[in-house]
Amino acid sequence: LSLRPFRKLKSIAVSSDLNFNYFMLVEVLLMLPASIEVIRGWKLSNSEFIQALDLWLFFRTHPKLKSLELRDIKLRSCVVLWDLWPTIAERCPDLKELLLAFHQDNGGLFLHKGIDQLCDMKKFRVLCNSNKYHNSEQLIAFCARNPDIRELDLRFNKSLSFDAVLAVSELKHLRK
């Protein structure tokens, strides 16, 4: 499989009924050219579990991303993605729209630190059954760095502080 003819590719939309096996999926994701800016409709439910390192490496090697949609991501159980958000903030500064929907079997997924390092996001949706990954302080900082966000979907399994709820309510585009 070669994507060499597509090395200046800017956008790709993938049919949700396209089936990938694990090795093909990882190969295609990592072979997408660094010039890629938009990836839509990528549904991974038919794939095997992918390594967290592959997801991390994908962000490290695609610095021009502006919009990314990955659904039904199956990571190996009890995965810790300690520096996913700092990596995205550092390596993909133009990423403004992000949807990461983790598969329901990812009960041991932990996305701990760094959401507060993302800035100038317009859409941010992280869907996961096991939302042990954000706290009120990170949400307050995230809101401060993303005042023009238009879509925000984070699921919390614990109570937020009043200040965190207030920070979200003060986002101007979400008040409409």
Side-chain angles (χ1 to χ4, degrees):
L1 179 65
S2 172
L3 295 177
R4 186 173 301 272
F6 302 102
R7 67 179 161 257
K8 294 188 187 236
L9 185 69
K10 299 274 188 208
S11 178
I12 187 169
V14 180
S15 170
S16 63
D17 56 347
L18 185 62
N19 292 321
F20 287 105
N21 67 38
Y22 168 74
F23 296 106
M24 179 183 267
L25 169 73
V26 171
E27 187 173 341
V28 169
L29 271 177
L30 295 178
M31 288 179 65
L32 286 172
S35 63
I36 196 81
E37 295 177 357
V38 178
I39 299 174
R40 294 257 188 249
W42 205 296
K43 190 171 182 179
L44 309 179
S45 62
N46 294 322
S47 69
E48 297 294 322
F49 287 92
I50 64 172
Q51 299 284 349
L53 180 61
D54 297 326
L55 186 59
W56 180 80
L57 186 58
F58 172 76
F59 285 109
R60 289 196 58 82
T61 57
H62 294 86
K64 296 188 185 253
L65 276 175
K66 293 181 180 178
S67 179
L68 175 65
E69 178 183 311
L70 294 178
R71 297 178 180 273
D72 283 345
I73 303 167
K74 290 185 197 176
L75 294 175
R76 297 206 184 275
S77 61
C78 297
V79 170
V80 178
L81 293 172
W82 288 103
D83 61 349
L84 181 64
W85 307 130
T87 298
I88 292 172
E90 175 189 340
R91 301 299 293 229
C92 303
D94 295 329
L95 185 62
K96 304 303 175 211
E97 297 181 3
L98 180 64
L99 167 62
L100 295 179
F102 291 92
H103 192 272
Q104 62 187 2
D105 292 340
N106 284 124
L109 180 65
F110 295 91
L111 299 168
H112 282 284
K113 299 178 183 177
I115 186 176
D116 51 328
Q117 293 181 31
L118 299 173
C119 63
D120 300 325
M121 299 294 290
K122 301 299 180 207
K123 294 181 180 179
F124 186 77
R125 299 180 67 205
V126 177
L127 311 175
C128 174
N129 278 349
S130 177
N131 295 327
K132 304 169 185 171
Y133 55 98
H134 303 298
N135 61 40
S136 291
E137 292 76 27
Q138 287 183 7
L139 183 57
I140 292 167
F142 176 85
C143 290
R145 295 187 76 165
N146 297 278
D148 293 324
I149 197 159
R150 298 182 184 314
E151 190 175 322
L152 176 63
D153 191 347
L154 293 170
R155 315 264 168 100
F156 286 81
N157 64 350
K158 57 185 174 183
S159 297
L160 294 173
S161 71
F162 177 77
D163 290 338
V165 174
L166 185 61
V168 172
S169 71
E170 290 176 346
L171 294 168
K172 63 183 174 185
H173 293 289
L174 297 182
R175 283 188 267 154
K176 295 179 180 179

